[in-house]
Amino acid sequence: MFFRTWILGIKSLLLHPMRSALTVLGIMIGVFSVIALLAIGEGVSIKAQKDIEALGAENIIVRSIEPPNDSIEFSFSAREFGITRAEMNQMKAIPTIAQVIPVRELRLQFQYTGNALAEPRLGRLVGCTPEYQGINRLEVDRGHFLTHPEKQATVCVISAELAKYFFPYEDPLGKEIFVPAKKNRFSIVGVLKEKTATGAVGGSLSGQDFANDVYIPIETMRRLMGDLEEKRSAGSFERKKFELSQVTCKVKDVKDVPKTAKIIESTLRRMSTDREDYGIIVPFELLEQARSTRIMIQLIFGLVAAVSLVVGGIGIMNIMLATVTERTREIGVRRALGACRRDITRQFLIETIVLSVVGGCIGMALGVAFPISAEGSKVLADWLAPEYYERIPTYFREVVPVLVPWSFPLAFGISVVVGVVFGLYPAMRAAQMDPIEALRHE
Amino acid sequence: MGKAVEIRDLTKHYVLKSETVKALRGVSFDVPQGDYVAIMGPSGSGKSTLLNLLGCLDRPTSGSYMLGDENVAQMTDDDLSAVRASRIGFVFQSYNLIPQLTVVENIEVPLYYMGKLDSRAKERCCMLASMVGLGDRLDHRPTQLSGGQQQRVAIARSIVNDPEFILADEATGNLDSVTTEEILQLFERLNGEGRTIIMVTHEDEVAEHAKRVIRLRDGHIVSDERNTDRVIAKSSVEKVAPEDAESAVDRSESPAT
Ligand SMILES: Nc1ncnc2c1ncn2[C@@H]1O[C@H](COP(=O)(O)OP(=O)(O)OP(=O)(O)O)[C@@H](O)[C@H]1O
Ligand SMILES: [Mg+2]
């Protein structure tokens, strides 16, 4: 009997296949967008979390920040800023810290004199220690990363992109990278594998692009280049002095991270001058933040998608109102043959539920296929219009939608609720009709 | 035979914005079980109104209506539905089959609302379909049938719940004389089985088949007489028994509107 009522509902809907299909489409899009948007949101937050995790939950990163150059007056004295080696040693003395890893970065032109075709290329000269490889998860393709015995040597490790650029047909190992600005040469001991850029993390750490990096031992950098940087450009002459760009402190126990971060902060405040020329990034705390951000993203995306479900629901209501009017005569006949009001309500409600459930099921099926099709469309976009695809920020290109399991029951549940809520009014209207009036309806 | 229906001073007023239409102004009569009544009268005299009241589709403004020993005037909407489902069979002028359902499914509808849609229901519906001569059209849709055929399905539907009454409002109004005759044969047969039939009609030729004729005018009964020279529909319907499949096929091919 129960079964029959449903069959009847389906039969009545099939009387207007086009109309029913369009109504189903509305709900389908709603359910799909709930699942898809939540999947994108999840992808974004997973990527953010991965980026933060890449920094290492046990690490605390202290980064020098160059203060804005607001001196209008021409000055010969160098601007001094950033974390100093003395400060680094203070941090090293904190008992919860196992290790401190200093980094000094410069933006410079690189050149390979053996390849006349390759123009000099702007990149990052990174003075670092062997530990740098571990904290940034750099993978070596050929040769080796900087080693402790080499800490005074004029050697370097280059990125895969630079290797490809300067040495398309040669083996880069043993060749020399020339830094025109410093008139230094570094012989290549290692080539890295390609590494994708990281997104900006928190407020103070901007995204890092490892594409044009050259790594040299930090002691070599200090010996050859000192702490002073001079920049000459048309009409201006700028001198700045900084000892370190970044210090990564590895904490012994992750539990101690928040405590250690506070100690570092107070240490630096005591030592540093009045200027805020450093930032402290605590990935551990960022991770916590990212988790709450994730909930926010899901909430917002979920709401946006839910709106489309409501729109679908209004579609259902619209169609059902039309159906009820159109089938007034049928309602009258059924009432005359003994149907009570509840029977009529149930009949029309079942039709809306069938519509929304079918829409929900198709929407879920499409939702399951969404990550695959999203990847597919990226490949397609790259193939059809690579130049436009390239312009999409890497960060977005790398977001992979991740299905959220609970989005399925949620979307489906909402669609059924929408079906019932928006179907109830037309169904009740049908049930409230006077049987005689209904029978007389043309 | 006992009284099937007893109505006393039945009135029905329709309250409109500007006026009150008194469709029935005090109608009283009894219908014994097994009677065959034709209600006649000019247009607007209240025939349909009366039939709808008798069929429990509506409640009277005043007066009493006893159906067996139940007072219909005091029933709730659900009670009325239950009475319609189990005790009354309707036949309409415009057939009123449900378009998305097949012949058998249409016949089944009252059983569904009676809660008697069991495994034997289908069998019974098929039997009824062949009784009205549509044994070979079980899976057809109403739109694939002629008017006469549709009306026969409607009659099968009206008796599927084994009702005490069959109420027909101009059941033959849309049919030609040959088909009308066929429908009347069916009615006669059902009446012969002991069912009470009350039908509204405009046509004297149709009313002649009834045992009794009630005439209405302006909501009053003007005459209520037994039919002395009652006409019995020709070509016996008894021939068309459910087991007589061949003649059922013949009948379904007879001309209709
Ligand atoms: N729902 C209604 N609202 C207002 N007036 C109504 C309503 N139904 C019927 N009437 C009025 O009641 C009177 C009787 O109507 P009814 O339908 O019973 O006539 P009838 O005898 O069946 O006529 P016909 O032979 O044309 O079918 C008419 O004057 C009609 O206008
Ligand atoms: Mg009428």
Side-chain angles (χ1 to χ4, degrees):
Chain A
M1 195 98 115
F2 176 78
F3 187 60
R4 259 188 127 71
T5 320
W6 290 88
I7 296 287
L8 174 73
I10 293 165
K11 264 191 186 161
S12 307
L13 291 170
L14 288 179
L15 224 51
H16 299 283
M18 185 67 178
R19 188 205 272 187
S20 302
L22 288 174
T23 317
V24 162
L25 194 70
I27 288 293
M28 185 193 89
I29 291 172
V31 167
F32 172 75
S33 56
V34 167
I35 292 168
L37 281 179
L38 284 176
I40 293 173
E42 185 75 350
V44 169
S45 18
I46 283 181
K47 171 113 173 77
Q49 281 194 38
K50 273 209 185 115
D51 284 349
I52 296 166
E53 272 162 15
L55 297 174
E58 74 281 11
N59 291 339
I60 297 169
I61 299 161
V62 186
R63 229 181 135 71
S64 300
I65 298 171
E66 185 178 345
N69 190 2
D70 47 7
S71 61
I72 304 157
E73 271 171 65
F74 186 80
S75 154
F76 276 107
S77 62
R79 294 193 301 132
E80 272 183 62
F81 65 90
I83 314 142
T84 61
R85 277 179 287 272
E87 285 169 333
M88 182 180 80
N89 289 332
Q90 286 276 337
M91 288 186 239
K92 208 186 245 168
I94 298 169
T96 49
I97 291 180
Q99 204 179 21
V100 292
I101 302 150
V103 178
R104 188 167 187 269
E105 294 160 8
L106 295 173
R107 284 205 80 76
L108 290 170
Q109 296 280 350
F110 300 121
Q111 212 177 333
Y112 170 53
T113 42
N115 184 350
L117 290 174
E119 295 274 307
R121 182 174 261 206
L122 186 69
R124 236 171 30 149
L125 185 67
V126 183
C128 58
T129 59
E131 289 77 22
Y132 187 85
Q133 182 190 7
I135 58 171
N136 280 305
R137 322 229 157 144
L138 302 175
E139 283 178 78
V140 175
D141 187 26
R142 321 177 49 191
H144 58 83
F145 198 73
L146 304 172
T147 57
H148 283 289
E150 289 169 333
K151 64 183 179 187
Q152 297 278 355
T154 51
V155 293
C156 70
V157 174
I158 63 171
S159 68
E161 287 82 354
L162 278 184
K164 222 181 280 168
Y165 177 70
F166 286 126
F167 309 98
Y169 310 113
E170 290 174 85
D171 180 4
L173 294 183
K175 304 283 185 317
E176 281 184 336
I177 287 286
F178 179 55
V179 181
K182 303 284 182 191
K183 306 204 169 46
N184 291 127
R185 287 173 192 277
F186 299 94
S187 58
I188 300 168
V189 294
V191 176
L192 297 180
K193 282 189 187 156
E194 267 186 55
K195 173 160 172 76
T196 52
T198 57
V201 172
S204 37
L205 191 60
S206 51
Q208 290 199 79
D209 183 5
F210 299 89
N212 296 308
D213 278 1
V214 172
Y215 306 95
I216 59 169
I218 191 163
E219 292 190 23
T220 310
M221 184 184 242
R222 188 180 174 197
R223 179 166 56 83
L224 296 176
M225 302 171 188
D227 295 331
L228 198 65
E229 281 303 300
E230 293 184 352
K231 207 180 264 170
R232 256 169 285 238
S233 53
S236 83
F237 176 67
E238 197 194 337
R239 284 149 64 88
K240 56 185 184 187
K241 195 177 162 196
F242 68 99
E243 296 182 7
L244 298 171
S245 304
Q246 179 180 313
V247 174
T248 304
C249 305
K250 234 189 172 89
V251 180
K252 284 178 194 146
D253 191 341
V254 181
K255 281 207 301 289
D256 295 327
V257 167
K259 193 171 77 185
T260 313
K262 285 209 182 69
I263 300 172
I264 292 176
E265 212 170 325
S266 58
T267 314
L268 287 179
R269 202 175 294 140
R270 197 152 21 96
M271 299 199 53
S272 180
T273 46
D274 52 333
R275 279 197 314 262
E276 278 279 306
D277 58 352
Y278 62 89
I280 301 177
I281 300 120
V282 189
F284 181 78
E285 284 170 4
L286 293 176
L287 216 54
E288 304 278 290
Q289 273 175 28
R291 293 206 178 103
S292 52
T293 313
R294 175 173 167 217
I295 295 169
M296 282 294 297
I297 291 180
Q298 276 167 351
L299 209 68
I300 292 166
F301 276 22
L303 274 177
V304 168
V307 167
S308 63
L309 260 179
V310 169
V311 172
I314 293 171
I316 284 195
M317 180 139 137
N318 194 4
I319 286 304
M320 288 317 290
L321 283 174
T323 303
V324 164
T325 309
E326 199 180 76
R327 282 158 63 188
T328 302
R329 182 59 92 76
E330 180 191 329
I331 295 164
V333 174
R334 287 182 180 276
R335 295 280 277 135
L337 298 181
C340 58
R341 296 211 156 118
R342 232 172 318 116
D343 292 320
I344 302 294
T345 311
R346 191 188 306 129
Q347 185 191 341
F348 284 95
L349 212 50
I350 279 174
E351 287 184 28
T352 62
I353 292 173
V354 166
L355 285 176
S356 56
V357 164
V358 169
C361 288
I362 301 175
M364 288 199 296
L366 291 179
V368 170
F370 172 64
I372 305 161
S373 54
E375 287 311 295
S377 55
K378 279 186 201 167
V379 172
L380 198 68
D382 194 19
W383 181 64
L384 287 177
E387 62 274 29
Y388 291 104
Y389 184 68
E390 292 287 302
R391 280 186 216 159
I392 303 171
T394 6
Y395 186 77
F396 288 106
R397 270 186 283 163
E398 276 162 14
V399 168
V400 179
V402 177
L403 293 177
V404 188
W406 53 258
S407 68
F408 286 84
L410 177 83
F412 189 72
I414 296 178
S415 75
V416 173
V417 169
V418 160
V420 172
V421 167
F422 288 92
L424 208 55
Y425 173 67
M428 304 241 283
R429 206 159 115 151
Q432 290 308 316
M433 279 179 191
D434 177 45
I436 300 168
E437 298 274 314
L439 274 170
R440 226 187 270 145
H441 187 88
E442 280 314 303
Chain B
M1 276 196 193
K3 277 186 219 165
V5 164
E6 182 196 289
I7 61 175
R8 291 288 174 270
D9 288 326
L10 210 61
T11 65
K12 180 72 192 176
H13 297 173
Y14 292 105
V15 181
L16 305 180
K17 264 177 248 156
S18 51
E19 53 183 328
T20 301
V21 180
K22 294 181 178 172
L24 289 178
R25 303 161 187 251
V27 176
S28 306
F29 61 87
D30 295 342
V31 181
Q33 265 169 27
D35 209 353
Y36 186 175
V37 186
I39 299 174
M40 295 194 72
S43 185
S45 55
K47 304 183 295 292
S48 297
T49 306
L50 178 59
L51 200 75
N52 289 340
L53 286 175
L54 290 173
C56 296
L57 279 169
D58 208 351
R59 266 172 289 217
T61 308
S62 70
S64 79
Y65 172 18
M66 298 297 288
L67 187 69
D69 35 280
E70 287 179 86
N71 191 349
V72 174
Q74 282 162 9
M75 284 186 181
T76 65
D77 197 78
D78 282 357
D79 292 337
L80 292 178
S81 294
V83 169
R84 292 197 297 267
S86 56
R87 301 174 66 177
I88 295 167
F90 279 101
V91 182
F92 306 94
Q93 179 175 6
S94 44
Y95 329 130
N96 279 338
L97 299 181
I98 296 171
Q100 62 266 41
L101 302 182
T102 63
V103 166
V104 183
E105 288 165 341
N106 261 291
I107 298 175
E108 278 175 350
V109 170
L111 292 179
Y112 174 79
Y113 293 120
M114 246 177 116
K116 281 200 182 161
L117 202 59
D118 49 29
S119 50
R120 293 204 326 281
K122 178 123 188 168
E123 204 180 310
R124 177 171 163 75
C125 294
C126 294
M127 198 196 79
L128 284 173
S130 30
M131 189 201 94
V132 297
L134 292 166
D136 58 338
R137 301 292 189 110
L138 299 177
D139 294 322
H140 286 219
R141 306 256 163 191
T143 46
Q144 295 164 324
L145 301 176
S146 71
Q149 288 167 331
Q150 287 187 51
Q151 195 61 298
R152 293 208 295 259
V153 175
I155 291 172
R157 180 177 69 180
S158 73
I159 57 174
V160 72
N161 55 354
D162 201 15
E164 297 155 39
F165 303 95
I166 295 166
L167 304 180
D169 196 346
E170 307 205 33
T172 57
N174 286 0
L175 303 175
D176 65 20
S177 57
V178 178
T179 323
T180 298
E181 195 76 0
E182 288 172 3
I183 298 300
L184 290 173
Q185 281 165 20
L186 272 172
F187 280 163
E188 244 142 62
R189 172 175 169 168
L190 296 174
N191 184 235
E193 289 169 0
R195 287 179 223 279
T196 311
I197 297 178
I198 304 175
M199 65 177 182
V200 165
T201 181
H202 268 123
E203 296 164 79
D204 288 326
E205 301 86 71
V206 173
E208 278 169 358
H209 290 77
K211 291 179 183 166
R212 175 183 172 193
V213 178
I214 296 177
R215 285 175 201 276
L216 291 181
R217 181 181 292 271
D218 294 332
H220 291 290
I221 294 181
V222 289
S223 73
D224 180 356
E225 302 167 334
R226 290 273 144 199
N227 224 345
T228 44
D229 47 356
R230 184 176 169 225
V231 178
I232 304 293
K234 280 164 277 161
S235 96
S236 173
V237 192
E238 261 66 34
K239 264 193 208 163
V240 194
E243 47 282 343
D244 197 348
E246 263 183 16
S247 75
V249 172
D250 289 343
R251 279 174 48 87
S252 69
E253 280 162 8
S254 59
T257 32

